DNA sequence: AGCCTTTGACCAGCG
DNA sequence: TCGCTGGTCAAAGGC
């Protein structure tokens, strides 16, 4: 890994994601698949591995938008301990937002506000202090 | 029929 | 130079 410094603590989100996740587990395709909380973007899972270094599973997601190179990594030791790490920036607004109106106004594809929001939530709170996983069960 | 998710294998980088 | 870990791609299965 070359950008480990991005692994900021997402305890704040984890709390929200935790409950959302549990709900989605039932609404998700009717299966027991581990789903990620909707963060306003459409993600496509392209891989999953168990990282022994942290003793947790890591899922690899990519933004479904062809013109978007944003990526997301989800780490979890259990469904209750989910950590989301965003990487890269979106070239569009979140799907849940009315970005269509923004486009009409001629807003550039660089939604800095979005990436800033994501990074602020994850990396802005804490500088790279995640020396080790701290999922307290 | 199409799309999404899951699992395995392969490749690259670092120690 | 070899081994290990992390990341990505491809194929198969299911809804």
């Amino acid at each position: 890994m070359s950008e480990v410094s991005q692994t900021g603590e997402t305890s704040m989100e984890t709390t929200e994601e935790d409950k959302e996740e549990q709900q989605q587990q039932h609404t998700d395709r009717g299966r027991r698949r581990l789903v990620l909380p909707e963060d306003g973007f459409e993600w496509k899972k392209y891989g999953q591995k168990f990282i022994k270094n942290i003793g947790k599973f890591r899922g690899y997601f990519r933004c479904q938008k062809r013109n978007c190179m944003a990526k997301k990594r989800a780490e979890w030791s259990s469904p209750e301990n989910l950590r989301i790490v965003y990487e890269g920036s979106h070239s569009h607004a979140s799907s849940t937002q009315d970005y269509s109106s923004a486009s009409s106004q001629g807003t550039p594809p660089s939604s800095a506000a979005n990436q800033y929001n994501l990074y602020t939530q994850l990396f802005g709170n804490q500088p790279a202090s995640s020396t080790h996983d701290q999922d307290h069960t």
Side-chain angles (χ1 to χ4, degrees):
Chain A
M1 296 166 70
S2 54
E3 301 175 67
V4 188
S5 55
Q6 296 186 358
T7 43
E9 177 52 38
T10 60
S11 55
M12 182 181 75
E13 280 197 272
T14 306
T15 307
E16 300 176 58
E17 292 161 356
D18 176 25
K19 59 184 181 185
E20 286 186 66
E21 184 190 330
Q22 291 179 52
Q23 294 175 50
Q24 290 183 43
Q25 280 188 67
H26 299 286
T27 57
D28 175 59
R29 299 174 68 117
R31 276 294 173 187
R32 61 179 187 280
R33 292 168 178 166
L34 178 65
V35 297
L36 280 297
E38 295 180 50
D39 47 24
F41 296 97
E42 297 178 74
W43 302 95
K44 179 178 63 179
K45 188 175 185 176
Y46 64 89
Q48 179 178 307
K49 290 198 72 172
F50 175 74
I51 311 301
K52 55 169 54 182
N53 279 4
I54 59 180
K56 299 159 73 173
F57 285 99
R58 177 133 65 189
Y60 300 90
F61 299 82
R62 211 166 188 170
C63 188
Q64 290 189 314
K65 302 295 182 182
R66 275 179 166 65
N67 60 328
C68 185
M69 50 184 260
K71 289 188 292 186
K72 181 171 74 173
R73 273 179 269 173
E75 300 174 5
W76 68 92
S77 52
S78 66
E80 291 76 43
N81 294 283
L82 179 67
R83 178 182 299 183
I84 309 297
V85 179
Y86 293 91
E87 190 172 288
S89 56
H90 291 273
S91 59
H92 57 94
S94 54
S95 303
T96 54
Q97 289 178 34
D98 185 56
Y99 63 88
S100 54
S101 59
S103 301
S104 305
Q105 295 172 44
T107 304
S110 306
S111 305
N114 284 299
Q115 49 188 288
Y116 175 76
N117 180 40
L118 296 172
Y119 278 83
T120 303
Q121 292 179 59
L122 301 168
F123 323 127
N125 293 322
Q126 290 187 20
S129 58
S130 55
T131 310
H132 190 270
D133 58 293
Q134 46 203 285
D135 54 291
H136 47 278
T137 47

